[in-house]
Coordinates of all heavy atoms in Angstrom, one line a residue:
M172 N -36.1 1.0 -34.1 CA -35.5 2.3 -34.0 C -35.0 2.7 -32.6 O -33.9 3.2 -32.5 CB -36.6 3.3 -34.5 CG -36.1 4.7 -34.5 SD -35.3 5.1 -36.0 CE -35.4 6.8 -36.0
P173 N -35.8 2.4 -31.5 CA -35.3 2.8 -30.2 C -34.1 2.1 -29.8 O -33.2 2.6 -29.1 CB -36.5 2.4 -29.3 CG -37.7 2.4 -30.1 CD -37.2 2.0 -31.5
S174 N -33.9 0.8 -30.3 CA -32.7 0.1 -29.9 C -31.4 0.7 -30.5 O -30.3 0.6 -29.9 CB -32.8 -1.4 -30.4 OG -32.8 -1.4 -31.8
R175 N -31.5 1.5 -31.6 CA -30.3 2.2 -32.1 C -30.0 3.4 -31.3 O -28.9 3.9 -31.3 CB -30.6 2.6 -33.6 CG -30.5 1.4 -34.5 CD -30.4 1.9 -35.9 NE -31.7 1.9 -36.5 CZ -32.0 2.6 -37.6 NH1 -31.1 3.3 -38.2 NH2 -33.2 2.5 -38.0
L176 N -30.9 3.9 -30.6 CA -30.7 5.1 -29.8 C -30.1 4.8 -28.4 O -29.5 5.7 -27.8 CB -32.0 5.9 -29.5 CG -32.6 6.5 -30.8 CD1 -33.9 7.2 -30.4 CD2 -31.7 7.5 -31.4
L177 N -30.2 3.5 -28.0 CA -29.7 3.2 -26.6 C -28.2 3.4 -26.5 O -27.8 4.0 -25.5 CB -30.0 1.7 -26.4 CG -29.6 1.2 -25.0 CD1 -30.3 2.0 -23.9 CD2 -29.9 -0.3 -24.8
P178 N -27.3 3.1 -27.4 CA -25.9 3.4 -27.2 C -25.6 4.9 -27.1 O -24.8 5.3 -26.3 CB -25.2 2.8 -28.5 CG -26.2 1.8 -29.0 CD -27.5 2.2 -28.6
W179 N -26.3 5.7 -27.9 CA -26.1 7.1 -27.8 C -26.6 7.7 -26.5 O -26.0 8.6 -25.9 CB -26.8 7.8 -29.0 CG -26.2 7.5 -30.3 CD1 -26.6 6.8 -31.3 CD2 -24.9 8.0 -30.7 NE1 -25.7 6.7 -32.3 CE2 -24.6 7.5 -31.9 CE3 -23.9 8.8 -30.1 CZ2 -23.5 7.7 -32.6 CZ3 -22.8 9.1 -30.8 CH2 -22.5 8.5 -32.0
F180 N -27.7 7.1 -26.0 CA -28.2 7.5 -24.7 C -27.2 7.2 -23.6 O -26.9 8.0 -22.7 CB -29.6 6.8 -24.4 CG -30.1 7.2 -23.0 CD1 -30.7 8.4 -22.8 CD2 -30.1 6.2 -22.0 CE1 -31.2 8.7 -21.5 CE2 -30.6 6.5 -20.8 CZ -31.1 7.8 -20.5
L181 N -26.6 6.0 -23.6 CA -25.6 5.6 -22.6 C -24.4 6.5 -22.7 O -23.8 6.9 -21.7 CB -25.2 4.2 -22.8 CG -26.3 3.2 -22.5 CD1 -25.8 1.8 -22.8 CD2 -26.7 3.3 -21.0
V182 N -23.9 6.9 -23.9 CA -22.8 7.8 -24.0 C -23.1 9.2 -23.4 O -22.3 9.8 -22.7 CB -22.4 8.0 -25.5 CG1 -21.4 9.1 -25.7 CG2 -21.8 6.7 -26.0
L183 N -24.3 9.6 -23.7 CA -24.8 10.9 -23.1 C -24.8 10.9 -21.6 O -24.3 11.8 -20.9 CB -26.1 11.3 -23.7 CG -26.7 12.6 -23.2 CD1 -25.8 13.8 -23.7 CD2 -28.1 12.8 -23.7
V184 N -25.3 9.8 -21.0 CA -25.4 9.7 -19.6 C -24.1 9.7 -19.0 O -23.8 10.4 -18.0 CB -26.3 8.5 -19.2 CG1 -26.1 8.2 -17.7 CG2 -27.7 8.7 -19.5
C185 N -23.1 8.9 -19.6 CA -21.8 8.8 -19.0 C -21.0 10.2 -19.1 O -20.3 10.6 -18.3 CB -21.0 7.7 -19.7 SG -21.6 6.1 -19.3
A186 N -21.2 10.9 -20.2 CA -20.6 12.2 -20.5 C -21.1 13.2 -19.5 O -20.3 14.1 -19.1 CB -20.7 12.6 -21.9
C187 N -22.3 13.2 -19.1 CA -22.9 14.2 -18.3 C -22.8 13.9 -16.8 O -23.1 14.7 -15.9 CB -24.3 14.4 -18.6 SG -24.5 15.1 -20.3
S188 N -22.4 12.7 -16.4 CA -22.4 12.3 -15.0 C -21.2 13.0 -14.3 O -20.2 13.3 -14.9 CB -22.2 10.8 -14.8 OG -21.0 10.4 -15.3
K189 N -21.4 13.4 -13.1 CA -20.3 14.0 -12.3 C -19.3 13.0 -11.9 O -19.5 11.9 -11.5 CB -21.0 14.6 -11.0 CG -20.1 15.5 -10.2 CD -20.8 16.0 -9.0 CE -19.9 16.9 -8.2 NZ -20.6 17.5 -7.1
P190 N -18.0 13.4 -12.1 CA -16.9 12.5 -11.8 C -16.9 12.2 -10.3 O -17.2 13.1 -9.5 CB -15.6 13.1 -12.3 CG -16.0 14.6 -12.4 CD -17.5 14.6 -12.7
A191 N -16.5 11.0 -9.9 CA -16.4 10.7 -8.4 C -15.3 11.5 -7.8 O -14.2 11.7 -8.5 CB -16.3 9.2 -8.3
L192 N -15.4 11.9 -6.6 CA -14.3 12.6 -5.9 C -13.3 11.6 -5.6 O -13.5 10.4 -5.2 CB -14.8 13.2 -4.6 CG -15.8 14.4 -4.7 CD1 -16.3 14.8 -3.4 CD2 -15.1 15.5 -5.5
K193 N -12.0 12.0 -5.7 CA -10.9 11.1 -5.4 C -10.9 10.9 -3.9 O -11.0 11.9 -3.1 CB -9.6 11.8 -5.8 CG -8.4 11.0 -5.7 CD -7.2 11.8 -6.4 CE -6.1 11.8 -5.4 NZ -4.9 12.6 -6.0
P194 N -10.8 9.6 -3.4 CA -10.7 9.4 -2.0 C -9.5 10.0 -1.4 O -8.4 10.1 -2.0 CB -10.7 7.9 -1.9 CG -10.3 7.4 -3.2 CD -10.6 8.4 -4.2
P195 N -9.6 10.5 -0.1 CA -8.4 11.1 0.5 C -7.3 10.1 0.7 O -7.5 8.9 0.9 CB -8.9 11.6 1.8 CG -10.2 10.9 2.1 CD -10.7 10.5 0.7
V196 N -6.1 10.5 0.6 CA -4.9 9.7 0.8 C -4.7 9.7 2.4 O -4.7 10.7 3.0 CB -3.7 10.3 0.2 CG1 -2.4 9.5 0.5 CG2 -3.9 10.4 -1.3
P197 N -4.6 8.5 2.9 CA -4.4 8.4 4.4 C -3.2 9.2 4.8 O -2.1 9.2 4.2 CB -4.1 6.9 4.7 CG -4.7 6.2 3.5 CD -4.6 7.2 2.3
G198 N -3.4 10.1 5.9 CA -2.3 10.9 6.4 C -2.1 12.2 5.6 O -1.3 13.0 6.0
E199 N -2.9 12.4 4.5 CA -2.8 13.7 3.8 C -3.9 14.6 4.2 O -5.1 14.2 4.1 CB -2.9 13.4 2.3 CG -2.7 14.6 1.4 CD -2.6 14.3 0.0 OE1 -3.4 13.6 -0.5 OE2 -1.7 14.8 -0.7
L200 N -3.5 15.8 4.7 CA -4.5 16.7 5.2 C -4.3 18.1 4.5 O -3.2 18.4 4.1 CB -4.4 16.9 6.7 CG -4.7 15.7 7.6 CD1 -4.3 15.9 9.0 CD2 -6.2 15.4 7.5
W201 N -5.4 18.8 4.5 CA -5.4 20.2 3.9 C -5.8 21.2 5.0 O -6.8 20.9 5.7 CB -6.3 20.2 2.7 CG -5.9 19.3 1.6 CD1 -6.2 17.9 1.6 CD2 -5.0 19.6 0.5 NE1 -5.6 17.4 0.5 CE2 -4.9 18.3 -0.2 CE3 -4.4 20.7 0.0 CZ2 -4.1 18.2 -1.4 CZ3 -3.7 20.6 -1.1 CH2 -3.5 19.4 -1.8
V202 N -5.1 22.3 5.1 CA -5.4 23.3 6.1 C -5.5 24.7 5.4 O -4.6 25.0 4.5 CB -4.3 23.3 7.2 CG1 -4.6 24.4 8.2 CG2 -4.2 22.0 7.8
D203 N -6.5 25.5 5.7 CA -6.6 26.8 5.2 C -7.2 27.7 6.3 O -8.3 27.6 6.7 CB -7.6 26.8 4.0 CG -7.7 28.1 3.3 OD1 -7.3 29.1 3.8 OD2 -8.1 28.1 2.1
A204 N -6.3 28.6 6.8 CA -6.7 29.5 7.9 C -7.8 30.4 7.5 O -8.4 31.0 8.4 CB -5.5 30.3 8.4
S205 N -8.2 30.6 6.3 CA -9.2 31.6 5.9 C -10.6 30.9 5.8 O -11.6 31.7 5.6 CB -8.8 32.2 4.5 OG -8.9 31.2 3.5
V206 N -10.7 29.6 6.0 CA -12.1 29.0 5.9 C -12.8 29.0 7.2 O -12.1 29.1 8.3 CB -12.0 27.6 5.3 CG1 -11.4 27.6 3.9 CG2 -11.2 26.6 6.3
A207 N -14.1 28.8 7.2 CA -14.8 28.6 8.4 C -14.5 27.3 9.0 O -14.0 26.4 8.3 CB -16.3 28.7 8.1
S208 N -14.7 27.1 10.3 CA -14.3 25.9 11.0 C -15.3 24.8 10.5 O -16.3 25.1 9.9 CB -14.4 26.0 12.5 OG -15.7 26.4 12.9
G209 N -15.0 23.6 10.8 CA -15.9 22.5 10.5 C -15.4 21.6 9.3 O -16.1 20.7 9.0
G210 N -14.3 21.9 8.8 CA -13.8 21.1 7.7 C -13.3 19.7 8.2 O -13.1 19.5 9.4
D211 N -13.1 18.8 7.2 CA -12.7 17.4 7.6 C -11.3 17.1 7.2 O -10.8 16.0 7.3 CB -13.7 16.4 7.0 CG -13.7 16.5 5.5 OD1 -13.0 17.2 4.8 OD2 -14.6 15.8 4.9
G212 N -10.6 18.1 6.6 CA -9.2 18.0 6.3 C -9.0 17.5 4.8 O -7.8 17.3 4.4
T213 N -10.0 17.4 4.0 CA -9.9 17.1 2.6 C -9.6 18.4 1.9 O -9.7 19.5 2.4 CB -11.1 16.5 2.0 OG1 -12.2 17.4 2.2 CG2 -11.4 15.1 2.7
R214 N -9.2 18.3 0.6 CA -8.9 19.4 -0.2 C -10.2 20.3 -0.4 O -10.2 21.5 -0.4 CB -8.4 19.0 -1.6 CG -8.1 20.2 -2.5 CD -7.7 19.7 -3.9 NE -6.5 19.1 -3.8 CZ -5.5 19.3 -4.7 NH1 -5.6 20.2 -5.7 NH2 -4.3 18.6 -4.6
E215 N -11.3 19.6 -0.5 CA -12.6 20.3 -0.7 C -13.1 21.0 0.6 O -13.8 22.0 0.6 CB -13.7 19.4 -1.2 CG -13.4 18.8 -2.5 CD -12.4 17.7 -2.5 OE1 -12.2 17.0 -1.4 OE2 -11.8 17.4 -3.6
R216 N -12.8 20.4 1.8 CA -13.2 20.9 3.1 C -12.0 20.9 4.1 O -12.0 20.1 5.0 CB -14.3 20.1 3.6 CG -15.6 20.1 2.8 CD -16.8 19.4 3.4 NE -17.1 19.9 4.7 CZ -17.3 19.2 5.8 NH1 -17.3 17.9 5.7 NH2 -17.6 19.8 6.9
P217 N -11.1 21.9 3.9 CA -9.9 21.9 4.7 C -10.2 22.2 6.2 O -11.2 22.8 6.5 CB -9.0 22.9 4.0 CG -9.9 23.8 3.3 CD -11.1 23.0 2.9
L218 N -9.2 21.8 7.0 CA -9.3 22.2 8.4 C -8.9 23.7 8.5 O -8.2 24.2 7.6 CB -8.3 21.4 9.2 CG -8.5 19.9 9.3 CD1 -7.3 19.1 9.9 CD2 -9.8 19.6 10.0
R219 N -9.3 24.3 9.6 CA -8.9 25.7 9.7 C -7.6 25.9 10.4 O -6.9 26.9 10.1 CB -10.0 26.4 10.5 CG -9.8 27.9 10.8 CD -11.0 28.6 11.4 NE -10.6 29.9 11.9 CZ -10.5 31.0 11.1 NH1 -10.5 30.9 9.8 NH2 -10.2 32.2 11.7
S220 N -7.2 25.0 11.3 CA -5.9 25.3 12.0 C -4.9 24.1 11.8 O -5.3 23.0 11.8 CB -6.2 25.4 13.5 OG -6.5 24.2 14.1
L221 N -3.7 24.5 11.8 CA -2.6 23.6 11.7 C -2.6 22.7 13.0 O -2.3 21.5 13.0 CB -1.3 24.3 11.5 CG 0.0 23.4 11.5 CD1 -0.1 22.3 10.5 CD2 1.2 24.3 11.2
A222 N -2.8 23.4 14.1 CA -2.8 22.6 15.4 C -3.8 21.5 15.4 O -3.5 20.4 15.9 CB -3.1 23.6 16.6
E223 N -5.0 21.7 14.8 CA -6.0 20.6 14.7 C -5.4 19.5 13.8 O -5.6 18.3 14.1 CB -7.3 21.2 14.1 CG -8.4 20.1 14.1 CD -9.7 20.7 13.5 OE1 -9.8 21.9 13.2 OE2 -10.6 19.9 13.4
A224 N -4.8 19.8 12.7 CA -4.2 18.8 11.8 C -3.2 18.0 12.5 O -3.1 16.8 12.3 CB -3.6 19.5 10.6
L225 N -2.4 18.6 13.4 CA -1.2 17.9 14.0 C -1.7 17.0 15.1 O -0.9 16.2 15.6 CB -0.2 18.9 14.5 CG 0.5 19.7 13.4 CD1 1.4 20.8 14.1 CD2 1.2 18.8 12.5
T226 N -3.0 17.0 15.5 CA -3.5 16.1 16.5 C -3.8 14.7 15.9 O -4.1 13.8 16.6 CB -4.7 16.6 17.2 OG1 -5.8 16.8 16.3 CG2 -4.4 18.0 17.9
R227 N -3.9 14.7 14.6 CA -4.2 13.4 13.9 C -3.0 12.4 14.0 O -1.9 12.8 14.0 CB -4.6 13.7 12.4 CG -5.6 14.8 12.2 CD -7.0 14.3 12.5 NE -8.0 15.3 12.4 CZ -8.8 15.5 11.3 NH1 -8.6 14.8 10.3 NH2 -9.7 16.4 11.4
P228 N -3.3 11.1 14.0 CA -2.2 10.2 14.0 C -1.4 10.3 12.7 O -1.9 10.5 11.7 CB -3.0 8.8 14.1 CG -4.4 9.0 13.8 CD -4.7 10.5 14.0
G229 N -0.1 10.1 12.9 CA 0.8 10.3 11.7 C 1.3 9.0 11.2 O 0.8 7.9 11.6
P230 N 2.2 9.0 10.2 CA 2.8 10.2 9.7 C 1.9 11.0 8.9 O 0.9 10.5 8.3 CB 4.0 9.7 8.8 CG 3.5 8.3 8.4 CD 2.6 7.8 9.5
L231 N 2.1 12.3 8.8 CA 1.2 13.3 8.2 C 1.9 14.0 7.0 O 3.1 14.3 7.1 CB 0.7 14.3 9.1 CG -0.1 13.8 10.3 CD1 -0.4 15.0 11.3 CD2 -1.4 13.2 9.8
H232 N 1.1 14.3 6.0 CA 1.6 15.2 4.9 C 0.5 16.3 4.9 O -0.6 16.1 4.4 CB 1.5 14.3 3.6 CG 2.1 15.1 2.4 ND1 3.3 14.8 1.9 CD2 1.6 16.1 1.7 CE1 3.6 15.6 0.9 NE2 2.6 16.4 0.8
V233 N 0.9 17.5 5.4 CA -0.1 18.5 5.5 C 0.2 19.6 4.5 O 1.3 20.2 4.4 CB 0.0 19.1 7.0 CG1 -1.0 20.2 7.2 CG2 -0.1 18.0 8.0
H234 N -0.9 20.0 3.7 CA -0.8 21.0 2.7 C -1.4 22.3 3.4 O -2.5 22.3 3.9 CB -1.7 20.7 1.5 CG -1.2 19.4 0.8 ND1 -0.3 19.4 -0.2 CD2 -1.6 18.1 1.0 CE1 -0.1 18.2 -0.6 NE2 -0.9 17.4 0.1
L235 N -0.6 23.4 3.4 CA -1.0 24.6 4.0 C -1.3 25.6 2.9 O -0.5 26.0 2.1 CB 0.1 25.2 4.9 CG 0.4 24.3 6.1 CD1 1.7 24.8 6.8 CD2 -0.7 24.3 7.1
A236 N -2.5 26.2 3.0 CA -2.9 27.3 2.0 C -2.2 28.5 2.5 O -1.7 28.6 3.6 CB -4.4 27.5 2.0
A237 N -2.1 29.5 1.6 CA -1.5 30.8 2.0 C -2.2 31.4 3.2 O -3.4 31.3 3.3 CB -1.6 31.8 0.8
G238 N -1.4 31.9 4.1 CA -2.0 32.5 5.3 C -1.0 32.4 6.5 O 0.1 32.0 6.3
R239 N -1.5 32.9 7.6 CA -0.6 32.9 8.8 C -1.1 31.9 9.8 O -2.3 31.8 10.1 CB -0.7 34.3 9.4 CG 0.1 34.5 10.6 CD -0.1 35.9 11.2 NE 0.7 36.1 12.4 CZ 1.8 36.8 12.4 NH1 2.3 37.4 11.3 NH2 2.5 37.0 13.5
Y240 N -0.2 31.0 10.3 CA -0.5 30.0 11.2 C 0.3 30.2 12.5 O 1.5 30.2 12.4 CB -0.2 28.6 10.6 CG -1.0 28.3 9.3 CD1 -0.5 28.7 8.1 CD2 -2.3 27.8 9.4 CE1 -1.2 28.6 6.9 CE2 -3.0 27.6 8.2 CZ -2.5 28.0 7.0 OH -3.2 27.8 5.8
E241 N -0.4 30.4 13.6 CA 0.2 30.8 14.8 C 0.4 29.5 15.7 O -0.5 28.7 15.9 CB -0.6 31.8 15.6 CG -0.6 33.1 14.7 CD -0.9 34.3 15.5 OE1 -0.7 34.4 16.7 OE2 -1.4 35.3 14.9
G242 N 1.6 29.4 16.3 CA 1.9 28.2 17.1 C 2.0 28.6 18.6 O 1.4 29.6 18.9
P243 N 2.6 27.8 19.4 CA 3.7 26.9 19.0 C 3.1 25.6 18.5 O 2.0 25.2 18.7 CB 4.4 26.7 20.3 CG 3.3 26.9 21.4 CD 2.4 27.9 20.8
F244 N 4.0 24.9 17.7 CA 3.6 23.7 17.1 C 4.6 22.6 17.5 O 5.8 22.9 17.7 CB 3.7 23.8 15.6 CG 2.8 24.9 15.0 CD1 3.4 26.0 14.5 CD2 1.5 24.8 15.0 CE1 2.7 27.0 14.0 CE2 0.7 25.8 14.5 CZ 1.3 26.9 14.0
R245 N 4.2 21.4 17.7 CA 5.0 20.2 17.9 C 4.7 19.3 16.7 O 3.6 18.7 16.6 CB 4.7 19.6 19.2 CG 5.5 18.3 19.4 CD 5.6 17.9 20.8 NE 6.4 18.9 21.4 CZ 6.9 18.8 22.6 NH1 6.8 17.7 23.3 NH2 7.6 19.7 23.2
L246 N 5.7 19.1 15.9 CA 5.5 18.2 14.7 C 5.8 16.8 15.1 O 7.0 16.5 15.5 CB 6.4 18.6 13.6 CG 6.2 20.0 13.0 CD1 7.2 20.3 11.8 CD2 4.8 20.2 12.6
P247 N 4.9 15.9 14.9 CA 5.1 14.5 15.2 C 6.1 13.9 14.2 O 6.3 14.5 13.1 CB 3.8 13.8 15.0 CG 2.8 14.9 15.0 CD 3.5 16.1 14.6
G248 N 6.9 12.9 14.6 CA 7.8 12.3 13.7 C 7.2 11.9 12.3 O 6.1 11.4 12.3
G249 N 7.9 12.1 11.3 CA 7.4 11.8 9.9 C 6.4 12.8 9.3 O 5.9 12.6 8.2
T250 N 6.2 13.9 10.0 CA 5.3 14.9 9.5 C 6.0 15.8 8.5 O 7.1 16.2 8.7 CB 4.7 15.8 10.7 OG1 4.0 14.9 11.5 CG2 3.8 16.9 10.2
R251 N 5.3 16.1 7.4 CA 5.8 17.0 6.4 C 4.8 18.1 6.1 O 3.6 17.8 5.9 CB 6.0 16.2 5.1 CG 6.6 17.0 4.0 CD 6.9 16.1 2.8 NE 7.5 17.0 1.8 CZ 7.4 16.7 0.5 NH1 6.8 15.6 0.1 NH2 7.9 17.5 -0.4
L252 N 5.3 19.3 6.2 CA 4.4 20.5 5.9 C 4.8 21.0 4.5 O 6.0 21.2 4.2 CB 4.7 21.6 7.0 CG 4.4 21.2 8.4 CD1 4.7 22.5 9.3 CD2 3.0 20.8 8.6
V253 N 3.8 21.3 3.7 CA 4.0 21.8 2.4 C 3.2 23.1 2.3 O 1.9 23.0 2.3 CB 3.6 20.8 1.3 CG1 3.8 21.4 -0.1 CG2 4.3 19.5 1.5
G254 N 3.9 24.2 2.2 CA 3.2 25.5 2.1 C 2.9 25.9 0.6 O 3.5 25.4 -0.3
E255 N 2.0 26.8 0.4 CA 1.6 27.2 -0.9 C 2.6 28.2 -1.5 O 2.5 28.5 -2.7 CB 0.2 27.8 -0.8 CG -0.6 27.8 -2.1 CD -2.0 28.2 -2.0 OE1 -2.3 29.5 -1.9 OE2 -2.8 27.4 -1.8
G256 N 3.5 28.7 -0.7 CA 4.4 29.6 -1.2 C 4.9 30.6 -0.1 O 4.7 30.3 1.1
P257 N 5.5 31.7 -0.5 CA 6.1 32.6 0.5 C 5.0 33.3 1.3 O 5.3 33.9 2.4 CB 6.9 33.6 -0.3 CG 6.4 33.5 -1.7 CD 5.9 32.1 -1.9
S258 N 3.8 33.2 0.9 CA 2.7 33.9 1.7 C 2.1 32.9 2.7 O 1.1 33.2 3.4 CB 1.6 34.4 0.8 OG 1.1 33.4 0.0
T259 N 2.7 31.7 2.9 CA 2.4 30.8 3.9 C 3.4 31.0 5.1 O 4.6 30.8 4.9 CB 2.4 29.3 3.5 OG1 1.6 29.2 2.3 CG2 2.0 28.4 4.6
V260 N 2.9 31.5 6.2 CA 3.8 31.9 7.3 C 3.4 31.1 8.6 O 2.3 31.1 9.0 CB 3.7 33.4 7.5 CG1 4.6 33.9 8.7 CG2 4.0 34.2 6.3
L261 N 4.5 30.5 9.2 CA 4.3 29.9 10.5 C 4.9 30.9 11.6 O 6.0 31.3 11.4 CB 5.0 28.6 10.6 CG 4.5 27.5 9.6 CD1 5.4 26.3 9.8 CD2 3.1 27.2 9.8
T262 N 4.2 31.1 12.6 CA 4.8 32.0 13.7 C 4.6 31.3 15.0 O 3.7 30.4 15.2 CB 4.1 33.3 13.8 OG1 2.7 33.1 14.1 CG2 4.1 34.1 12.5
A263 N 5.5 31.6 15.9 CA 5.5 31.0 17.3 C 5.9 32.1 18.2 O 6.7 32.9 17.9 CB 6.4 29.8 17.4
P264 N 5.5 32.0 19.5 CA 5.9 33.0 20.4 C 7.4 32.9 20.7 O 8.0 31.8 20.6 CB 5.1 32.7 21.7 CG 4.4 31.4 21.5 CD 4.5 31.1 20.0
R265 N 8.0 34.0 20.9 CA 9.5 34.1 21.1 C 9.8 33.6 22.5 O 9.1 34.0 23.4 CB 10.0 35.5 20.9 CG 11.5 35.6 21.0 CD 11.9 37.0 20.8 NE 11.9 37.2 19.3 CZ 12.6 38.1 18.8 NH1 13.2 39.0 19.5 NH2 12.7 38.2 17.5
R266 N 10.7 32.7 22.6 CA 11.1 32.2 23.9 C 12.2 33.1 24.5 O 13.1 33.5 23.8 CB 11.8 30.8 23.8 CG 10.8 29.7 23.6 CD 11.5 28.4 23.6 NE 10.5 27.3 23.6 CZ 10.7 26.1 24.0 NH1 11.9 25.8 24.5 NH2 9.8 25.2 24.0
H267 N 12.0 33.5 25.8 CA 12.9 34.3 26.5 C 13.9 33.4 27.2 O 13.4 32.5 27.9 CB 12.2 35.3 27.4 CG 11.2 36.2 26.7 ND1 11.7 37.2 26.0 CD2 9.9 36.2 26.6 CE1 10.7 37.9 25.4 NE2 9.6 37.3 25.8
P268 N 15.1 33.6 27.1 CA 16.1 32.8 27.8 C 15.9 33.0 29.3 O 15.6 34.1 29.8 CB 17.5 33.3 27.4 CG 17.2 34.6 26.7 CD 15.8 34.7 26.3
G269 N 16.0 31.9 30.1 CA 15.9 32.0 31.5 C 17.1 32.6 32.2 O 18.1 32.7 31.5
P270 N 17.0 32.9 33.4 CA 18.2 33.4 34.2 C 19.3 32.4 34.3 O 19.0 31.2 34.4 CB 17.6 33.8 35.6 CG 16.4 33.0 35.7 CD 15.9 32.7 34.3
G271 N 20.5 32.9 34.2 CA 21.7 32.1 34.4 C 22.0 31.3 33.2 O 22.5 30.4 32.9

């Protein structure tokens, strides 16, 4: 009798197990200005600042959550920024033209 229950037990264990997290894609980072610091750049634990993401070796594919990100920023070659929508805003200080 117990040997007939073994396949059902295995099905139950597999169905209840937590799925493995998808490993991060190299060069793919997630940033959310509203989270506490200390993230690692994954979707589950995003970085807080875009500036921190841009210090990573590239090329980069950076996903920006809705929010305001203050610069200035220098985008390394091959870097792609993907915002969550119109509520994702990048700002930088205005440059004043020099004399002459």
